[in-house]
Amino acid sequence: MQAGLFPLVVTRDERVDYLEALEAADNGQLKPLIDLIARLQRAQFRQATAISENMLAAEADVQQVLGGLLDAAHGRQEQKRQALRGVFKHAEALANDVQTRLETIVPDVTAALQRITPNGTAFITRSNENTDHYYRSQIIHNAKYHLRYFADTSDYRAWVCLNMVWERKARLVFAFHGIGRPFSGSLVCAPFLEFRDTDDEGHFDTAIVPAAEEAFVFFYNETEGRALERFRPWRERVLTVALRELSQNL
């Protein structure tokens, strides 16, 4: 062992050869004993190498299994994430519904504003990837102080806005975003009416008026048709409140 060799282990199968080699060595013939020791050392080396290889293989198998487990967990997590994000399509459908409905009232709103000032007008704007962050402060204010929930705009945000301009400026915004953290597959539509005036010194003065007693909540696991069916009566109530508020602030 001091020479770096394996311990000499003589098994039952080599016992006879070992005794004969010892007897030959006693008679001055060392070669049989040397050959036996060399053969046993090679066997020990092969056995030790096999054990190491098996250990490495086992470790590799464990790592492969762990890697497969992590991949499966990631895949399952991604499947769930994709399922939850199905609510984003519902939000798009609801936003389309709002825009279509607002387009039907724009002519009447414009006509009413033009009775006050000839340049009165109403028009619709809608968010895109470059503007979806607009109204963030108003959304948070409306959620915190009027509708009483935590507005999360990190996973999804969109809006549809009815802009009204006469001697004053106002906008009715339907904002779509998450509710609470972490994202759980639910979104809300939270409307607010904002009036904006300019004083004699050119400073802006804004006032946010809630247009609903509560936000409209919709879910990833309901059908788009069901979400729209629930949404439309709520949307009409919001428009009624907003137009009534507008008539009182012309």
Side-chain angles (χ1 to χ4, degrees), residues 67-124:
L69 178 62
L70 292 174
D71 289 343
H74 176 74
R76 182 69 181 90
Q77 185 181 38
E78 185 60 26
Q79 286 180 349
K80 184 177 181 181
R81 187 179 295 112
Q82 290 300 324
L84 295 179
R85 288 180 175 176
V87 75
F88 297 172
K89 294 183 178 179
H90 295 353
E92 185 74 12
L94 299 187
N96 289 339
D97 179 81
V98 167
Q99 180 173 351
T100 300
R101 183 67 178 99
L102 291 178
E103 288 171 349
T104 66
I105 69 172
V106 162
D108 290 335
V109 174
T110 298
L113 297 177
Q114 288 178 350
R115 290 187 178 184
I116 301 172
T117 176
N119 295 327
T121 186
F123 59 94
I124 299 168

Side-chain angles (χ1 to χ4, degrees), residues 26 32 55 61 82 85 91 101 113 117 128 132 146 149-150 198 200 210 230-231 237 242:
D26 289 340
M55 290 177 66
D61 290 343
Q82 290 300 324
R85 288 180 175 176
R101 183 67 178 99
L113 297 177
T117 176
N128 56 44
D132 57 12
H146 297 304
Y149 70 91
F150 176 79
T198 306
D200 295 336
R230 295 192 303 109
F231 179 71
R237 291 194 295 271

Side-chain angles (χ1 to χ4, degrees), residues 93-243:
L94 299 187
N96 289 339
D97 179 81
V98 167
Q99 180 173 351
T100 300
R101 183 67 178 99
L102 291 178
E103 288 171 349
T104 66
I105 69 172
V106 162
D108 290 335
V109 174
T110 298
L113 297 177
Q114 288 178 350
R115 290 187 178 184
I116 301 172
T117 176
N119 295 327
T121 186
F123 59 94
I124 299 168
T125 52
R126 183 168 174 174
S127 63
N128 56 44
E129 62 181 7
N130 297 318
T131 62
D132 57 12
H133 62 282
Y134 287 7
Y135 311 124
R136 185 175 183 274
S137 62
Q138 295 96 320
I139 288 169
I140 293 175
H141 177 91
N142 189 41
K144 183 176 181 179
Y145 295 105
H146 297 304
L147 301 179
R148 307 296 181 184
Y149 70 91
F150 176 79
D152 175 21
T153 61
S154 60
D155 289 290
Y156 187 88
R157 56 182 178 266
W159 51 262
V160 180
C161 178
L162 172 62
N163 303 271
M164 295 159 283
V165 181
W166 67 108
E167 294 171 347
R168 307 179 67 187
K169 291 183 179 180
R171 50 195 173 202
L172 172 61
V173 179
F174 288 81
F176 298 86
H177 48 266
I179 178 171
R181 293 293 303 270
F183 175 63
S184 60
S186 302
L187 295 178
V188 299
C189 178
F192 62 87
L193 185 63
E194 181 182 40
F195 291 96
R196 190 171 187 177
D197 298 291
T198 306
D199 61 21
D200 295 336
E201 297 180 357
H203 299 144
F204 289 110
D205 181 31
T206 63
I208 295 177
V209 179
E213 293 183 356
E214 60 183 7
F216 179 81
V217 185
F218 52 104
F219 311 93
Y220 79 97
N221 57 355
E222 66 177 323
T223 65
E224 182 179 300
R226 175 56 181 158
L228 283 167
E229 181 182 0
R230 295 192 303 109
F231 179 71
R232 284 167 177 157
W234 176 87
R235 176 205 66 197
E236 289 302 294
R237 291 194 295 271
V238 170
L239 289 176
T240 300
V241 170
L243 293 174

